[in-house]
Amino acid sequence: MNHPLYIAGPCSAESLEQLRATASQLREISFTYFRAGVWKPRTRPGTFEGHGEKALPWLNEIQHEFGYKIAIEVASSQHVESALKAGIDAFWIGARSVTNPFTVQEIAESLKGVNIPIFIKNPVNPDLKLWIGAVERIENATSSTIHAIHRGFSVYEKFRYRNDPNWQIALDFKIERPDIKLICDPSHMGGRRAYLLELSQIAMDLHFDGLHLEVHHDPSIAWTDAEQQVNGIQLQQLISAIRLKDRNDNTTEQILELRKEIDNLDEKVLTILIERMKIAQKIGTIKSAQNSTIYQAKRWLELKERNVENAKRLGLSEELVIQLLKLIHQEAIRIQASYVQQEDKNEITSGKFS
Ligand code: PEP
Ligand code: MN
C-alpha cells in the first residue's frame, strides 16, 4: 500500500507566529510539503490578498526551524523569481491561473532551466484540455516533476460542496496522463471541514496519489478560508479515519469470472443498441418522405418519462437512465438527420430545384 503524498498547511501565510504555531501542530504528521499562500488570488477586491514577498523570510524560518519543505502558489514570472530567490521548495499554479494560457505560459517561461516540483490545479471551469494544456506548457519549459491537483469546478447555483467535484474529469485526466501523480484537494472542493473525510475517502477509493489539506493552528481566527481549515489534531484524526486501499490490481479468479459475465452482458447491450438504431433509421426514411421534423420534443419527453418510471420500478438510478437515454436518443436523431440531409442533397443534385 503506497502511502499517499500529503500537502498540509494554512490557506494564507498570516504571520510568522501563525506559521510557527501551525507548523508545530504538524510535527507528528508525516507529510511532504508545508503549504502557505503568499500571493492570494481573491475573487473580490478589498479582502486579504496575501503578504507577498514579506512572507517569504517567514517561510524560510519554517524551513530551518522544522525542516519542512515549503510549497507556495505562483501566478506570475515575478512570483517565480522571488520564490526561487527565497529557496522555496515547490510551487503550485492555482485554479484561476490555469484558466489563462497566457499566465501559464508566462510562468512556464520563467521556469526554463529550473528544476522544482510543480503542482498544477485544475482550471475553475470543467475543461480537461485546458488542464492538460497547462501541464504541457510547463513540461515544454522544464523537466521538473509535475503533479496535478484536483480541486473541483466552480458552480453558480448553491450546491453541497463549494466546488463541483466532477470526478469524471479527474479520472479522464488519469487516463490521458497516467504518468502524472494526481492529488485531491478536498479543502477547496468541499469548502467546509465537515466534508473533508467523505471527499478524501472518495479520492482514496478512486486511486488518487495524495491529498492537499488546509491546516491552521486555530481555524476560527483564520484570515482566509476559515470554514474549510482544520487544526493539527483534527488533521491527525482525519488522516487516521481515512481507509487506505490496496493499490495493487488484485484480480482474483472470482473477479475474472464476474467480469466475463459483464462482458457478455455488454455485448448484448450493444447488439440491442444496433437493433434500436436500425429502427430509428427506418423512422428517418418515413419522416423524410413525410417531410416532418426529425426532433420531436413531445416524443423525447414521453420516452424520458416512461423510462424514468421504469427505472424507479427496477431500482435503477434515475440519473443514469436519463443520461443514457439522452445519448441514445441524440444518436438516433443524428442518424435520422444524416439520412434526411443526404436525401435533400440528392434532390438538389438531381435537378429538382433547377
Ligand atoms: C489555494 O490553494 O490556496 C487556492 C487558492 O486554491 P485554488 O487555486 O484551488 O482556488
Ligand atoms: Mn484556501
Side-chain angles (χ1 to χ4, degrees), residues 51-338:
H51 286 296
E53 291 204 14
K54 186 174 127 192
L56 296 174
W58 303 340
L59 291 168
N60 290 145
E61 283 283 320
I62 302 298
Q63 279 172 320
H64 297 132
E65 205 173 316
F66 296 86
Y68 296 164
K69 283 197 229 159
I70 307 287
I72 68 168
E73 172 167 354
V74 291
S76 69
S77 53
Q78 184 58 49
H79 294 169
V80 171
E81 199 185 306
S82 308
L84 285 174
K85 226 182 269 168
I88 298 297
D89 303 284
F91 299 156
W92 81 84
I93 306 179
R96 289 160 194 80
S97 300
V98 174
T99 317
N100 183 352
F102 288 131
T103 301
V104 177
Q105 191 56 38
E106 177 189 323
I107 295 171
E109 303 291 336
S110 62
L111 286 168
K112 278 209 170 114
V114 174
N115 199 346
I116 185 166
I118 312 283
F119 293 81
I120 303 180
K121 290 204 168 193
N122 65 257
V124 287
N125 53 325
D127 187 338
L128 177 62
K129 287 205 177 87
L130 196 54
W131 193 4
I132 290 183
V135 169
E136 289 166 348
R137 285 177 195 279
I138 302 298
E139 250 171 2
N140 289 343
T142 149
S143 52
S144 301
T145 306
I146 295 175
H147 292 75
I149 301 182
H150 178 51
R151 47 77 84 194
F153 305 91
S154 291
V155 284
Y156 179 58
E157 277 159 12
K158 203 170 155 24
F159 183 66
R160 178 177 174 84
Y161 304 126
R162 176 176 172 182
N163 291 310
D164 178 3
N166 202 332
W167 297 104
Q168 191 56 48
I169 295 186
L171 297 179
D172 289 343
F173 182 98
K174 268 157 99 57
I175 291 169
E176 282 217 26
R177 295 302 307 257
D179 54 318
I180 290 185
K181 288 219 162 69
L182 186 58
I183 314 291
C184 178
D185 172 358
S187 304
H188 291 94
M189 192 181 273
R192 303 181 76 124
R193 67 187 74 86
Y195 299 138
L196 291 178
L197 180 57
E198 65 188 57
L199 290 170
S200 303
Q201 189 61 59
I202 295 174
M204 288 300 107
D205 292 348
L206 292 176
H207 213 311
F208 274 63
D209 300 290
L211 295 171
H212 165 289
L213 294 151
E214 283 192 338
V215 190
H216 191 288
H217 71 285
D218 181 358
S220 70
I221 56 164
W223 296 9
T224 53
D225 285 351
E227 293 197 345
Q228 70 197 32
Q229 302 202 63
V230 287
N231 64 30
I233 294 171
Q234 291 167 321
L235 180 71
Q236 205 146 19
Q237 287 166 346
L238 173 71
I239 288 178
S240 47
I242 299 169
R243 279 169 288 111
L244 297 182
K245 301 293 166 72
D246 190 345
R247 299 173 154 256
N248 299 316
D249 183 5
N250 286 327
T251 312
T252 58
E253 271 305 311
Q254 200 184 4
I255 292 180
L256 284 177
E257 276 306 308
L258 291 170
R259 282 189 180 157
K260 235 185 257 164
E261 281 181 41
I262 284 190
D263 291 346
N264 286 336
L265 287 173
D266 283 348
E267 210 172 312
K268 278 190 192 152
V269 170
L270 293 190
T271 318
I272 292 172
L273 270 182
I274 290 167
E275 283 307 307
R276 195 192 186 287
M277 294 306 162
K278 278 185 191 153
I279 297 175
Q281 193 160 12
K282 271 189 206 157
I283 296 180
T285 60
I286 301 170
K287 280 180 183 166
S288 174
Q290 288 177 348
N291 202 26
S292 54
T293 58
I294 294 167
Y295 179 75
Q296 286 161 8
K298 189 163 154 267
R299 163 68 181 154
W300 162 244
L301 291 174
E302 277 168 9
L303 187 156
K304 189 170 93 174
E305 215 167 285
R306 196 184 47 256
N307 282 290
V308 164
E309 281 311 309
N310 285 342
K312 278 189 202 149
R313 187 169 47 79
L314 296 168
L316 268 173
S317 136
E318 248 179 71
E319 176 67 14
L320 167 76
V321 169
I322 293 173
Q323 293 302 331
L324 191 63
L325 282 168
K326 233 186 227 171
L327 283 176
I328 294 174
H329 189 247
Q330 276 166 6
E331 177 63 6
I333 295 290
R334 191 194 62 77
I335 289 174
Q336 293 185 349
S338 70

Side-chain angles (χ1 to χ4, degrees), residues 5-77:
L5 183 155
Y6 290 117
I7 301 171
C11 181
S12 308
E14 299 166 10
S15 65
L16 178 55
E17 292 65 39
Q18 169 249 7
L19 292 171
R20 247 193 210 128
T22 306
S24 93
Q25 287 186 354
L26 293 176
R27 270 207 174 101
E28 301 300 313
I29 296 169
S30 128
F31 63 96
T32 308
Y33 291 102
F34 181 86
R35 64 147 281 154
V38 164
W39 294 281
K40 298 295 302 169
R42 305 307 301 278
T43 305
R44 305 195 57 177
T47 47
F48 176 59
E49 293 189 325
H51 286 296
E53 291 204 14
K54 186 174 127 192
L56 296 174
W58 303 340
L59 291 168
N60 290 145
E61 283 283 320
I62 302 298
Q63 279 172 320
H64 297 132
E65 205 173 316
F66 296 86
Y68 296 164
K69 283 197 229 159
I70 307 287
I72 68 168
E73 172 167 354
V74 291
S76 69
S77 53

